[in-house]
Amino acid sequence: MNATDDDEHGKNSGERIDISTAMRSASAQLSELLRCEPGSVSAVKSTDEGWSADVEVVELEKVPDTMTVMASYHVALDPQGRLLAYERTRRYARGQIDRR
């Protein structure tokens, strides 16, 4: 990909990506970095610095599937959708339900 391709996709133009693109970007970049299967994005919100998202990933496949180890990560993206930071906030079995 060259600089022209980047501009066409808004990466170098300074344009802010939309929320659905931020959601896909957060999931894809985190799962690539961690080398884990993406699960879902449970939250996305716009911030002054760009975007923040909570991403669920599969950390360890188990049988039965309800025992698969999942993790929640809080990620920060810049306005163009590039990953700036991430932090694991929780680990849990896929079949576990929050009691709130």
Side-chain angles (χ1 to χ4, degrees):
M1 184 181 277
N2 61 38
T4 304
D5 291 337
D6 283 344
D7 283 338
E8 288 174 10
H9 293 96
K11 297 291 184 189
N12 289 333
S13 64
E15 293 179 19
R16 185 181 189 85
I17 60 173
D18 61 32
I19 192 167
S20 61
T21 303
M23 184 177 78
R24 288 189 303 275
S25 183
S27 178
Q29 290 180 80
L30 184 65
S31 60
E32 180 181 335
L33 183 65
L34 299 176
R35 303 217 186 277
C36 292
E37 178 187 331
S40 63
V41 177
S42 57
V44 179
K45 69 178 176 178
S46 178
T47 67
D48 292 339
E49 295 79 30
W51 296 94
S52 70
D54 294 329
V55 180
E56 313 301 315
V57 299
V58 176
E59 287 203 332
L60 184 61
E61 287 282 344
K62 295 277 192 169
V63 176
D65 189 50
T66 55
M67 295 307 296
T68 292
V69 178
M70 303 290 294
S72 294
Y73 285 84
H74 184 75
V75 301
L77 304 171
D78 70 9
Q80 291 76 41
R82 291 181 293 260
L83 186 67
L84 298 174
Y86 72 93
E87 175 183 16
R88 185 170 62 195
T89 57
R90 180 174 173 239
R91 270 184 113 194
Y92 58 97
R94 181 175 279 182
Q96 183 178 345
I97 298 172
D98 285 340
R99 306 235 186 260
R100 293 186 208 182

